[in-house]
Amino acid sequence: MINPMLRLLLVFFLPVLCVLADEQELNAEQWLEKMSQSMKTLNYQGTVAFFKNGRLDTMKYSHSKNQGLEQERLLSLNSPMREVIRDAGTVSCVFDESKKNIVNHQPVSQSFIIDLPIDFSALNTVYQYTLGAEESVAMRFSRIVNIKPTDQYRYTRKIWIDNEHFLPLKVEVYNLAGEILEQLVYTELQLVDKLDTVKVGQHLDKSSIKQIHSIETLPVEEMGFVLKDLPAGFEVVFFTRMEIDNSDQTVDHLLLSDGFSSVSVYREALSEGVQMGVQDFGSVNSFTRAINNDQITAMGDVPVKTVQVIAQGFTQQ
Amino acid sequence: MNKKINQKISQFIDDELHHTELDNLLSVMKQQPQLKNTMHRYQTVSHVLSSEDVLIANGSFLDKIKYEIKHEQHHFVPKKNSKNRQLGFWPEISIAMAASVVIIAITVSQQVDVTDVQSSQVLAKTPVENIQMQAKNTTQISQHDRFKAYLLAHSDDLYTHGSLDYQPLARVVHFSQK
């Protein structure tokens, strides 16, 4: 026979205990979903160290959301001094000392911290999400979420997610041999109630701006090519045209992504002496091939096999 | 102070520095070797943003040079011993020395610092006098420009690292020397 007093206590505290248990028993996918939500909605700032291709760069980072509009801002701490702002889908970069500016109207990445798919469960066949250990990063408790591909077309990732606010505190990308390709880690992070939006281009010298992707996106059908044998999970994000300096030739740019990894495919008229096959630029791999009078180059932070398969899957309509 | 020097470095790279200020800048850079790194960073940024003609060096080009230097045979001059002295050996040494002097002279005149090249992956100006060589480079230049544009459109590295990691680079630097 249960004591009536104990029964009363159980009635009151059972729902609370259930909620707490639920919170603790989030699975890896739920952690990622919460992280994705927090990254977009919270106001936060901190110092982030970016490590890639043997280079380390530390920058001040902030994310704000005002009146439904997101803004990301990077401020370099070391030369070359620069400020980068992602605002309404456009990235503007101002080099303080050299007074050179870049505006990319159609950036490939969606975040300076980490690119994430809209629907994690849709990628269950190509990525396995598992929970790892608990570790501290930037004096905050975090939970590691492992994102392991089920094929050889993409890289493994690990994300350290803040226990309290579900923000990514550390991200590591590994190549197929299990070596770290890229690392990003907060050295300090603060959440704030409000962050003012910085106005872009206030002191920008308009004449020195290099524009990228100033042409609007176009229907994929205009490409004149069809994609065959795309690795599972990769989908078209946008198709546009761009210009190369000192050239009157335009280049078609098709962006494919599985949510975490992106591959750009460039198509232009075949030039003489172009090196075909695989090339690597640090962690970026590329594969170039010729189709009739066109040259196709697939390029991305993905294994060689991926760019090769994507480039070879291009066939004329 | 540093900001002023950085501006001058930037002007130097953009070929906007007056020759009277060039001597001062070079002497300051001699006293502060860390400024060389600043210059290389600016060169890389300028290179990324500019559309100047560039020479692309093959990925293994520098490695090959290093390998050749490492494995080059050493010819030691024998001790002055009347028994070992062979008259026919001296012309070879003379030729080798003359060749070395020519190489050093060319290297100094072009101000190529191998360690700097490795650290910044930016080569100082190499006057291309051979027309055949120029013709051969035309396709390489356009290919380099092409990949530069591709990477600029694809990667965030310029924002997060201040430069794009397409390597190795070779840049044709020019300045108005009076």
Side-chain angles (χ1 to χ4, degrees):
Chain A
M1 183 74 183
I2 301 173
N3 186 316
M5 195 63 188
L6 189 62
R7 192 180 294 170
L8 197 67
L9 280 172
L10 272 174
V11 168
F12 271 105
F13 287 107
L14 201 60
V16 177
L17 287 169
C18 285
V19 169
L20 284 174
D22 268 358
E23 202 69 24
Q24 285 168 352
E25 286 170 15
L26 288 176
N27 63 31
E29 203 176 302
Q30 287 167 324
W31 275 87
L32 290 170
E33 278 161 4
K34 275 184 169 274
M35 179 184 77
S36 177
Q37 191 65 17
S38 297
M39 281 176 73
K40 289 175 196 159
T41 53
L42 297 178
N43 291 313
Y44 50 100
Q45 58 187 12
T47 309
V48 186
F50 295 90
F51 180 77
K52 194 176 182 183
N53 299 327
R55 292 181 306 181
L56 177 73
D57 218 301
T58 314
M59 299 183 88
K60 286 277 177 197
Y61 172 83
S62 65
H63 175 274
S64 65
K65 184 150 189 184
N66 289 318
Q67 295 172 334
L69 292 174
E70 276 184 78
Q71 188 179 68
E72 268 187 306
R73 188 179 180 215
L74 282 174
L75 205 58
S76 66
L77 299 176
N78 306 299
S79 285
M81 300 307 283
R82 60 204 181 276
E83 182 179 19
V84 195
I85 292 172
R86 186 192 301 274
D87 213 358
T90 297
V91 172
S92 310
C93 181
V94 180
F95 286 89
D96 185 38
E97 291 146 338
S98 60
K99 306 288 176 205
K100 311 254 173 166
N101 313 299
I102 295 175
V103 176
N104 190 343
H105 300 270
Q106 195 76 56
V108 164
S109 68
Q110 299 303 306
S111 163
F112 296 126
I113 303 298
I114 185 172
D115 273 339
L116 297 169
I118 297 165
D119 184 3
F120 292 96
S121 59
L123 293 170
N124 274 335
T125 52
V126 288
Y127 286 109
Q128 280 180 343
Y129 311 120
T130 55
L131 283 176
E134 282 194 306
E135 281 183 13
S136 288
V137 179
M139 305 283 281
R140 287 173 170 274
F141 292 113
S142 70
R143 188 72 188 262
I144 301 173
V145 174
N146 304 299
I147 304 165
K148 200 175 174 188
T150 55
D151 56 26
Q152 298 280 299
Y153 291 117
R154 46 214 117 213
Y155 294 135
T156 296
R157 284 166 168 77
K158 268 188 186 182
I159 310 176
W160 281 250
I161 303 175
D162 180 30
N163 277 1
E164 193 182 354
H165 300 289
F166 294 95
L167 286 169
L169 299 175
K170 184 175 169 182
V171 179
E172 283 182 351
V173 183
Y174 303 86
N175 64 14
L176 296 180
E179 297 155 342
I180 294 178
L181 267 182
E182 200 179 331
Q183 195 178 44
L184 170 157
V185 60
Y186 275 93
T187 56
E188 51 99 16
L189 173 70
Q190 298 140 16
L191 273 97
V192 285
D193 292 333
K194 198 178 177 224
L195 268 176
D196 289 331
T197 304
V198 180
K199 283 188 181 168
V200 185
Q202 270 180 323
H203 311 291
L204 226 61
D205 175 7
K206 306 281 183 211
S207 63
S208 65
I209 298 175
K210 182 181 174 67
Q211 308 276 353
I212 303 172
H213 288 145
S214 48
I215 302 169
E216 283 180 21
T217 53
L218 303 162
V220 187
E221 293 73 37
E222 279 195 26
M223 190 171 53
F225 276 77
V226 284
L227 291 158
K228 283 184 180 169
D229 306 322
L230 262 188
F234 277 95
E235 285 177 6
V236 174
V237 180
F238 67 71
F239 171 62
T240 186
R241 287 210 169 93
M242 58 181 222
E243 287 162 356
I244 292 182
D245 288 336
N246 280 354
S247 166
D248 48 5
Q249 204 173 310
T250 55
V251 180
D252 287 354
H253 182 191
L254 178 77
L255 181 71
L256 303 166
S257 176
D258 71 357
F260 292 106
S261 311
S262 299
V263 175
S264 285
V265 186
Y266 300 98
R267 189 199 69 168
E268 60 179 300
L270 186 62
S271 302
E272 237 177 84
V274 170
Q275 195 180 329
M276 298 293 161
V278 176
Q279 287 193 69
D280 72 274
F281 307 86
S283 60
V284 175
N285 287 311
S286 81
F287 185 87
T288 305
R289 68 180 281 240
I291 306 176
N292 299 332
N293 294 322
D294 289 309
Q295 62 189 58
I296 306 285
T297 299
M299 174 185 277
D301 287 275
V302 288
V304 172
K305 190 181 172 183
T306 317
V307 285
Q308 196 168 352
V309 164
I310 290 174
Q312 284 173 340
F314 261 69
T315 43
Q316 251 167 346
Q317 269 179 338
Chain B
M1 181 65 183
N2 266 345
K3 204 170 179 181
K4 272 188 180 175
I5 293 169
N6 288 346
Q7 274 179 353
K8 289 203 189 309
I9 292 172
S10 180
Q11 285 175 319
F12 169 60
I13 289 166
D14 293 338
D15 199 14
E16 290 167 358
L17 191 69
H18 194 265
H19 67 96
T20 51
E21 292 178 295
L22 185 63
D23 287 342
N24 288 336
L25 177 66
L26 291 174
S27 59
V28 172
M29 284 177 75
K30 219 171 193 178
Q31 287 161 4
Q32 298 178 46
Q34 72 274 16
L35 289 174
K36 270 189 175 180
N37 291 332
T38 309
M39 187 178 78
H40 292 316
R41 276 196 300 270
Y42 287 4
Q43 279 180 322
T44 311
V45 171
S46 169
H47 175 79
V48 168
L49 299 176
S50 72
S51 55
E52 289 173 31
D53 287 349
V54 290
L55 293 170
I56 187 164
N58 187 296
S60 57
F61 179 66
L62 292 176
D63 291 339
K64 276 181 191 165
I65 292 175
K66 272 163 54 185
Y67 179 86
E68 291 296 332
I69 290 169
K70 202 174 174 183
H71 291 86
E72 192 180 9
Q73 272 194 322
H74 297 283
H75 299 284
F76 294 105
V77 179
K79 282 181 185 174
K80 281 186 179 177
N81 186 333
S82 57
K83 282 181 185 175
N84 292 336
R85 191 180 293 174
Q86 292 175 355
L87 272 173
F89 188 60
W90 287 105
E92 285 176 33
I93 292 175
S94 309
I95 292 165
M97 284 178 70
S100 303
V101 168
V102 169
I103 290 165
I104 291 166
I106 290 168
T107 309
V108 169
S109 70
Q110 292 172 358
Q111 298 176 340
V112 174
D113 183 339
V114 174
T115 52
D116 282 351
V117 169
Q118 282 175 328
S119 64
S120 66
Q121 292 148 3
V122 174
L123 291 175
K125 179 182 183 179
T126 308
V128 186
E129 290 168 359
N130 189 324
I131 295 166
Q132 280 183 330
M133 180 98 166
Q134 271 184 336
K136 205 176 173 184
N137 284 331
T138 311
T139 54
Q140 289 180 325
I141 288 163
S142 60
Q143 186 172 2
H144 184 273
D145 277 345
R146 180 176 295 113
F147 275 103
K148 186 177 77 174
Y150 288 179
L151 274 169
L152 193 58
H154 179 82
S155 173
D156 270 355
D157 286 4
L158 184 67
Y159 314 130
T160 54
H161 291 287
S163 64
L164 289 171
D165 195 41
Y166 50 95
Q167 54 180 307
L169 302 178
R171 178 168 186 253
V172 179
V173 180
H174 59 94
F175 59 95
S176 50
Q177 194 168 19
K178 291 176 187 171

